[in-house]
Amino acid sequence: MPEHLKSAVPAGQVRAARADVAERVAAILDDIRERGDEAVRQYSEKFDNWSPESFRLSQDDIARIVADVPETVLDDIRFVQQQVRTFAQAQRDSMHDIEIETLPGVRLGHRHVPVSGAGAYVPGGRYPLTASAHMTIVTAKVAGVSRVAACTPPIRGEIPAATVAAMYLAGADEIYLLGGVQAVAALAVGTQTIGRVPMIAGPGNAYVAEAKRQLFGEVGIDLFAGPTEILVVADEHADPFVVAVDLLSQAEHGPDSPAVLVTTSEDLGREVERHIERLLPTMPTRDFAGPAWRDHGEIVVVDSLDEAFTTADSYASEHVEILTENPRQALERMHDYGALFLGEGTCVSYGDKVIGTNHVLPTRGAARYTGGLWAGKYLKTVTYQEVTDTSSSALLGEVCGRAARVELFEGHARSGDVRAAKYAGAALPWNEEAGA
């Protein structure tokens, strides 16, 4: 049985905090539906101390902002976006339109059609998360989305120039300096100055994630992407210092970011904990990483690698790092995760920042039923049908008539009947009863 060397706070305490978030978000959404831009501006002033004449940046604004970004930063943005674009394009190319003939003259097909527009939420607040622009905007454009409206908040009242540059280079059609629930709501329901979109993508804090959850159905969303999670599976061959550094790398995202170690070695688990206790006080981001590790950090010791993989699956964590002697075993043994990071040569931070796979991934157990953001999330797979052979239409009409009447759908049955009658001379007794 798994043994906890360190446990997280009780689940009930976490649920209570989420209930409070849900109530606050619902009130903001209702207010923005009612008052539009006026409410958006009020919340932007309240939460971000930001109330410009226009939240949307003009082309001149964008050009001026990008011109102030160091060329090395722009080069790195271009490099990373090319990695994301290459992988996203390979994903898109794997999705083929199909058409088959199931009976003579009966053609069935499907096509992958991009949504007409998407809202890309790029988190900011404390840190300029430029990478989220790559993940949401580049991927949408590869999928063929014609209108991408991107939002990011100011940082302490300042324009996050590198993030704006990333949004621009990624191909955003509209860029708004607007964050939080008010940004997501404006994109989803529309205001006097911000046109609504059919879909919203991107990660965010607990409030942004809850806003997406409440708006789902009114608009589409990529997935429920809340506070960042990391789970490391390690055996006795792992380097405890590397494990500790990697756990803290994700804990710094926020005070509610879970960081979990599942290991077959109690000695390694205790050594990892000692490293974390030593490293945390010197981290510049310790005010986030510290509470995250204190409240949501776990070290779980198991008896075998099989148990380690089973335990890891039970968390359905967003990021799962495999630091074992044979890391590729996890590809066959695990199935509930957002993304796997195999071996010491890679790390979750690569996925977050540079390697090219998408970092918008399922959290809070959503990995049990969905994967992360990819080109396919921006596509609707729609079907079409065509019957050009009259004999086949007559046959389908006969079967349709019988099948529909089993379900007591007489109108459906008659649609089949008329084709059987027109193309094969079948009787229409219900038409005769109507005096035809």
Side-chain angles (χ1 to χ4, degrees):
M1 292 291 292
E3 176 190 353
H4 277 73
L5 299 184
K6 182 185 183 307
S7 299
V9 297
Q13 185 174 327
V14 176
R15 285 193 297 270
R18 289 179 186 169
D20 180 61
V21 169
E23 184 177 349
R24 294 185 185 185
V25 168
I28 294 172
L29 295 181
D30 287 344
D31 194 17
I32 291 174
R33 283 193 182 94
E34 180 70 23
R35 297 193 294 127
D37 281 339
E38 182 183 357
V40 168
R41 184 169 297 280
Q42 176 184 319
Y43 291 115
S44 182
E45 288 178 343
K46 178 180 180 180
F47 297 127
D48 290 323
N49 194 29
W50 185 252
S51 182
E53 183 177 341
S54 172
F55 290 108
R56 181 175 178 176
L57 296 178
S58 69
Q59 291 303 310
D60 287 344
D61 293 332
I62 294 169
R64 185 179 64 255
I65 293 166
V66 173
D68 286 339
V69 178
E71 193 61 34
T72 54
V73 174
L74 296 177
D75 286 344
D76 286 345
I77 289 172
R78 293 185 185 102
F79 171 84
V80 176
Q81 288 187 352
Q82 186 54 48
Q83 311 316 303
V84 175
R85 187 174 292 108
T86 297
F87 189 66
Q89 189 63 59
Q91 291 180 313
R92 177 64 184 91
D93 292 344
S94 73
M95 302 179 69
H96 303 289
D97 294 350
I98 63 170
E99 182 174 290
I100 63 173
E101 189 172 27
T102 58
L103 293 168
V106 178
R107 297 180 183 86
L108 309 180
H110 78 219
R111 300 176 63 229
H112 301 296
V113 180
V115 295
S116 60
Y121 186 79
V122 180
R126 179 169 182 172
Y127 306 121
L129 297 181
T130 59
S132 289
H134 320 329
M135 307 303 174
T136 53
I137 302 167
V138 170
T139 308
K141 284 301 181 182
V142 168
V145 179
S146 59
R147 176 193 170 219
V148 178
C151 286
T152 196
I155 298 180
R156 294 179 290 276
E158 300 293 330
I159 296 173
T163 304
V164 172
M167 297 161 98
Y168 166 71
L169 293 173
D173 301 286
E174 303 163 22
I175 297 177
Y176 298 88
L177 278 182
L178 183 65
V181 175
Q182 59 270 24
V184 174
L187 291 171
V189 306
T191 70
Q192 295 89 338
T193 61
I194 301 175
R196 64 181 301 180
V197 294
M199 175 183 171
I200 293 175
N205 62 18
Y207 289 89
V208 169
E210 177 61 20
K212 288 172 64 180
R213 188 190 71 81
Q214 292 189 24
L215 289 163
F216 178 55
E218 189 170 350
V219 292
I221 64 171
D222 49 355
L223 48 95
F224 297 119
T228 291
E229 304 165 350
I230 182 173
L231 185 147
V232 176
V233 176
D235 62 13
E236 69 277 11
H237 301 282
D239 183 333
F241 178 70
V242 171
V243 174
V245 169
D246 287 355
L247 287 168
L248 291 176
S249 75
Q250 298 301 298
E252 74 176 357
H253 272 277
D256 49 0
S257 289
V260 179
L261 169 62
V262 177
T263 181
T264 56
S265 169
E266 181 176 342
D267 288 343
L268 179 131
R270 296 193 183 282
E271 187 66 21
V272 167
E273 189 167 23
R274 283 193 287 271
H275 279 302
I276 289 176
E277 290 172 355
R278 178 178 62 84
L279 292 169
L280 251 177
T282 66
M283 285 186 69
T285 52
R286 61 187 175 273
D287 53 339
F288 275 6
W293 178 249
R294 180 193 67 215
D295 296 339
H296 303 284
E298 297 182 54
I299 299 176
V300 184
V301 179
V302 295
D303 294 330
S304 67
L305 204 52
D306 279 341
E307 189 177 13
F309 290 139
T310 300
T311 301
D313 266 344
S314 73
Y315 283 85
S317 183
E318 177 187 18
H319 306 103
V320 177
E321 198 169 286
I322 308 297
L323 300 180
T324 61
E325 186 176 23
N326 298 303
R328 290 184 70 88
Q329 288 179 336
L331 288 173
E332 302 299 327
R333 310 277 278 279
M334 289 189 65
H335 50 80
D336 290 339
Y337 54 85
L340 283 180
F341 299 82
L342 303 176
E344 187 179 274
T346 187
C347 59
V348 173
S349 295
Y350 284 1
D352 279 350
K353 306 300 181 185
V354 298
I355 207 166
T357 48
N358 206 295
H359 80 194
V360 182
L361 298 165
T363 65
R364 295 180 178 174
R368 294 184 179 91
Y369 61 83
T370 187
L373 180 61
W374 67 296
K377 290 279 189 178
Y378 291 104
L379 300 171
K380 302 176 292 181
T381 302
V382 294
T383 62
Y384 62 90
Q385 307 81 37
E386 181 182 35
V387 182
T388 59
D389 184 283
T390 56
S391 296
S392 292
S393 185
L395 171 61
L396 291 170
E398 292 175 7
V399 177
C400 179
R402 294 194 296 270
R405 289 187 173 94
V406 168
E407 297 177 344
L408 306 181
F409 275 84
E410 181 63 22
H412 286 65
R414 292 181 180 189
S415 285
D417 292 346
V418 296
R419 286 159 178 83
K422 184 168 185 176
Y423 298 139
L428 290 178
W430 49 266
N431 194 39
E432 296 170 4
E433 292 172 2

